[in-house]
């Protein structure tokens, strides 16, 4: 049986409500320094590839802050997430695109069709907690490859959503609408 405090915390977790990270310039500076130190110590091949292609891209503080904020400045989790991100980027977009932003030109014809299909809709405004609301419509499931869905998801989440400071600090709400069954 849960205590009142445990129940309240569980409900907050369920509804994605919690304390917002109070980020300070000192916290950012310390986290970025530790981030850099961990990367130097780990000697990750995908990170080495990225730095050889475009060092300024992967060392850009705004790029690294996306991972730090997503993990509430847990630096080890943030580094692991960035390494995974770069690895998946190589897998789905190619080795030559690891250290640069993915653009519309990097999407193939099927990806563009999916992107323009209305699969995602970013609502104007936010929920009560200040989070961006994204509607995901299922009508294109089964018409696109998994790889195409992943590339489009990547493009939307990294090029659009994660650019928003509120998404970096508060996350976003994803509403899934199953359009395959009548209402």
């Amino acid at each position: 049986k849960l205590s009142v405090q445990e129940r309240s915390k569980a409900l907050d977790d369920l509804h994605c409500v919690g304390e917002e990270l109070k980020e300070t310039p000192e916290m950012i500076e310390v986290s970025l320094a530790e981030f850099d130190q961990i990367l130097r110590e780990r000697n990750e091949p995908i990170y080495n590839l990225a730095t050889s292609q475009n060092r300024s891209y992967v060392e850009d503080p705004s790029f690294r802050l996306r991972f730090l904020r997503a993990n509430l400045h847990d630096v080890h989790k943030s580094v692991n997430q960035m390494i995974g991100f770069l690895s998946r980027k190589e897998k789905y977009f190619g080795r030559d695109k690891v250290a640069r932003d993915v653009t519309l030109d990097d999407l193939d014809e099927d990806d563009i069709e999916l992107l323009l299909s209305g699969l995602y809709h970013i609502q104007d405004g936010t929920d009560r907690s200040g989070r961006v609301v994204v509607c995901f419509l299922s009508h294109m499931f089964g018409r696109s490859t998994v790889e195409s869905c992943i590339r489009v998801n990547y493009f939307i989440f990294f090029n659009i959503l994660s650019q928003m400071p509120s998404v970096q600090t508060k996350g976003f709400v994803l509403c899934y609408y199953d359009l395959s069954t009548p209402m």
Side-chain angles (χ1 to χ4, degrees):
K1 191 168 182 170
L2 297 176
S3 70
V4 172
Q5 291 85 6
E6 291 169 328
R7 182 175 291 132
S8 179
K9 168 116 175 61
L11 285 172
D12 284 351
D13 288 346
L14 175 68
H15 296 287
C16 300
V17 176
E19 290 185 33
E20 193 173 325
L21 178 67
K22 304 291 189 258
E23 197 174 69
T24 65
E26 295 79 24
M27 176 190 286
I28 291 171
E29 185 179 339
V30 168
S31 294
L32 287 171
E34 187 179 345
F35 197 104
D36 193 53
Q37 180 183 353
I38 291 169
L39 281 169
R40 281 195 310 267
E41 290 170 0
R42 286 184 47 179
N43 194 28
E44 292 282 346
I46 192 69
Y47 181 74
N48 294 339
L49 171 66
T51 57
S52 73
Q53 289 178 357
N54 185 357
R55 179 176 296 277
S56 64
Y57 179 83
V58 292
E59 291 182 354
D60 184 340
S62 65
F63 176 75
R64 291 178 173 187
L65 274 171
R66 292 181 194 186
F67 301 101
L68 286 164
R69 288 175 174 152
N71 293 289
L72 301 174
H73 282 257
D74 181 321
V75 180
H76 287 280
K77 282 184 181 178
S78 301
V79 169
N80 288 339
Q81 186 181 35
M82 187 187 81
I83 295 302
F85 169 84
L86 294 172
S87 297
R88 285 184 296 282
K89 193 173 181 186
E90 177 188 31
K91 177 178 180 178
Y92 292 106
F93 291 98
R95 194 169 181 81
D96 59 322
K97 295 174 182 75
V98 170
R100 69 171 181 77
D101 288 333
V102 171
T103 66
L104 286 172
D105 291 335
D106 298 318
L107 302 177
D108 67 24
E109 194 174 296
D110 292 337
D111 300 342
I112 297 291
E113 180 183 351
L114 184 61
L115 182 65
L116 297 176
S117 73
L119 179 71
Y120 287 100
H121 176 75
I122 300 171
Q123 293 290 114
D124 188 27
T126 61
D127 73 352
R128 290 188 308 185
S129 296
R131 297 172 299 192
V132 171
V133 178
V134 179
C135 297
F136 179 81
L137 309 172
S138 69
H139 67 288
M140 289 299 288
F141 275 1
R143 297 185 200 170
S144 302
T145 65
V146 171
E147 291 79 10
S148 189
C149 288
I150 290 170
R151 285 189 297 272
V152 169
N153 285 338
Y154 173 92
F155 182 83
I156 289 171
F157 291 122
F158 202 76
N159 291 8
I160 299 169
L161 291 171
S162 77
Q163 300 273 345
M164 300 173 186
S166 67
V167 170
Q168 292 177 21
T169 57
K170 297 178 184 181
F172 63 92
V173 176
L174 181 64
C175 298
Y176 174 79
Y177 290 100
D178 184 357
L179 299 176
S180 64
T181 57
M183 291 192 186

